[in-house]
Amino acid sequence: MNPTLWLSHNTPSNGLADRENLIMGGYSQGGYLTYLSAVRNGLHGKGWKFKGGIAGAGVTDWATMGMSSDAGSYATGLLGHSPWSTDKADCSDRQGSAIWEMKGAVQKGGVIPPMLILHGEKDVRVPLEQAQGFRGGLEAAGLPYEYVVYPREDHTFAEQEHVRDMCERVVKFVDKVLASTRLET
């Protein structure tokens, strides 16, 4: 069982979270796990779903990371190969890439939750195209999202106003998602 699924399943059992109001969120590697959890939301057979997701500077497609990130050799190392050394029919680099699981998730009845996507315009570690691709998928499927690109920012934000804005957006998003959950019940 992956760590996100384990935590989300076990923390409510210990009284540390409300199973009906789970929101996932993370930055960088946590952003990647948020995207992946979003497309696998509700498909685990455990009887609960995330109500929202907050992804900051996360990877959505590992294959393109190997060609576009300043950590390209690290990204291809995680895959075990590079796109240019792989046979055309080999799609194993799509494993664990949220963008490639999106269509199947929608078809299988998974509920990709409302998403808040945050990314720096000049991010060379996880290029902006990672967020743009996921946003495009959400848009094509008619799913709710908020998308914010911070001008001039790299993977680690430098401008205090952008950090403040990000924090305020996260709080507003959580409030909005939880308020809509209360209205449904």
Side-chain angles (χ1 to χ4, degrees):
M1 181 179 288
N2 81 45
T4 305
L5 185 57
W6 186 89
L7 279 170
S8 302
H9 182 67
N10 287 297
T11 12
S13 303
N14 296 327
L16 299 173
D18 177 358
R19 180 167 282 149
E20 300 303 316
N21 290 301
L22 294 173
I23 297 175
M24 63 190 150
Y27 196 88
S28 194
Q29 185 68 9
Y32 158 67
L33 290 172
T34 299
Y35 283 128
L36 197 58
S37 295
V39 296
R40 295 177 178 178
N41 196 30
L43 299 175
H44 44 65
K46 303 289 183 192
W48 54 264
K49 296 176 184 173
F50 289 111
K51 301 296 182 188
I54 304 162
V59 175
T60 62
D61 182 8
W62 283 104
T64 58
M65 279 291 290
M67 297 180 286
S68 59
S69 171
D70 70 339
S73 61
Y74 174 74
T76 56
L78 290 174
L79 288 172
H81 61 274
S82 61
W84 49 88
S85 66
T86 306
D87 292 330
K88 182 178 175 180
D90 182 355
C91 296
S92 62
D93 58 357
R94 294 180 180 179
Q95 297 296 318
S97 292
I99 198 77
W100 293 104
E101 294 190 29
M102 191 174 264
K103 180 179 179 181
V106 172
Q107 288 175 334
K108 290 177 191 171
V111 179
I112 298 173
M115 297 289 296
L116 172 59
I117 300 171
L118 308 162
H119 217 100
E121 174 190 35
K122 304 289 184 185
D123 191 338
V124 295
R125 178 61 34 99
V126 179
L128 180 58
E129 289 79 10
Q130 296 287 320
Q132 290 170 332
F134 201 83
R135 178 196 64 183
L138 292 171
E139 202 165 279
L143 297 169
Y145 69 90
E146 294 176 32
Y147 178 76
V148 185
V149 177
Y150 290 93
R152 302 172 301 282
E153 295 292 6
D154 193 5
H155 196 65
T156 305
F157 286 16
E159 297 182 35
Q160 184 177 4
E161 187 54 40
H162 291 157
V163 174
R164 182 180 299 115
D165 180 78
M166 184 173 16
C167 292
E168 289 172 356
R169 285 178 188 272
V170 166
V171 170
K172 286 178 187 172
F173 180 80
V174 169
D175 285 346
K176 183 168 94 175
V177 168
L178 293 181
S180 69
T181 300
R182 286 189 289 273
L183 292 175
E184 292 171 7
T185 57

